[in-house]
Amino acid sequence: MIYKFYQQHIFPHVLNQVMQTPSLMDKRRELLLPISGKVLEIGFGTGLNLPFYQQVNTLYALEPNPDIYHLALQRLHETPFHVQHIQASAEKLPFADNSLDHIVSTWTLCSIAHLEQALDEVYRVLKVGGTFHLVEHVLHNERPNIQRLQNLLTPIQKRLADGCHLNRDIERALKDAELELKECLYFDAAGIPAIGQRMLLARAIKR
Ligand SMILES: C[S@@+](CC[C@H](N)C(=O)[O-])C[C@H]1O[C@@H](n2cnc3c(N)ncnc32)[C@H](O)[C@@H]1O
């Protein structure tokens, strides 16, 4: 019961604050400003990407958790383009095959229970030549000590942070899903503890 209270009433606010860390907001801007037209965002969260969709006319905001989506409502009122909330999971996208030019994920792939299935869905609904734009925290492949800690602490992190894995190799997962990396930039985000600091900003194409 206490855990349920934490998940519904505390965690969404913690998420909303942590995800506004300035270094993360800078990367949202870098990832999202070039995107135009219709976009599907998976794991829309509390709507922190909205100000950076400067050339978007329709956003499909896929977010399965109503307690998290609720915190986006004020931001949605201030948004000048059409946003359609879709309460569904990335493992089963309610879109036709080959139907979208752009899909976005910002720090969502860590939390999806069945990552492989979700990436297969991203591949299925993207048009040929369409782009998956993402920024994610990842397994630190260059620092074995950090990697060990990431593996050790992931079971606790999953409980504290709504299913978040610290130890996902996202580049490997994209390649396994047959998505071709057009941009692939690793960086360490300022203001984030070392265990979750390694990030990947990438754009991957369906060929
Ligand atoms: C760490 S938060 C990131 C939120 C937001 N993308 C951001 O950048 O602030 C992870 C998000 O993924 C969502 N999520 C969890 N499992 C999911 C799934 N299977 N499909 C789609 N979204 C999921 C969570 O509800 C949460 O909103």
Side-chain angles (χ1 to χ4, degrees), residues 153-167:
L153 295 181
T154 283
I156 299 168
Q157 173 77 357
K158 281 171 70 179
R159 294 289 287 168
L160 288 177
D162 195 30
C164 169
H165 297 68
L166 293 163
N167 60 352

Side-chain angles (χ1 to χ4, degrees), residues 44-163:
F44 176 72
T46 63
L48 294 173
N49 288 333
L50 287 169
F52 306 116
Y53 288 124
Q54 293 288 317
Q55 307 176 71
V56 166
N57 51 46
T58 302
L59 179 70
Y60 301 109
L62 184 130
E63 173 53 57
N65 186 330
D67 299 313
I68 290 178
Y69 184 77
H70 183 75
L71 298 186
L73 294 181
Q74 183 59 40
R75 293 185 180 108
L76 286 162
H77 286 137
E78 294 157 5
T79 299
F81 52 86
H82 178 62
V83 181
Q84 185 181 330
H85 178 210
I86 299 171
Q87 192 169 350
S89 294
E91 287 97 332
K92 197 166 190 297
L93 294 174
F95 290 87
D97 296 0
N98 305 305
S99 59
L100 293 170
D101 289 309
H102 300 286
I103 302 180
V104 163
S105 169
T106 59
W107 299 285
T108 292
L109 299 184
C110 57
S111 299
I112 293 175
H114 305 100
L115 178 60
E116 198 179 318
Q117 198 179 325
L119 291 177
D120 286 349
E121 280 290 271
V122 166
Y123 187 92
R124 179 184 67 76
V125 305
L126 274 178
K127 292 179 187 170
V128 172
T131 308
F132 184 35
H133 310 258
L134 59 123
V135 58
E136 302 286 338
H137 65 82
V138 296
L139 181 72
H140 205 317
N141 278 321
E142 286 157 27
R143 293 192 51 193
N145 288 346
I146 298 276
Q147 192 176 120
R148 264 194 294 279
L149 269 180
Q150 288 177 317
N151 288 329
L152 190 71
L153 295 181
T154 283
I156 299 168
Q157 173 77 357
K158 281 171 70 179
R159 294 289 287 168
L160 288 177
D162 195 30

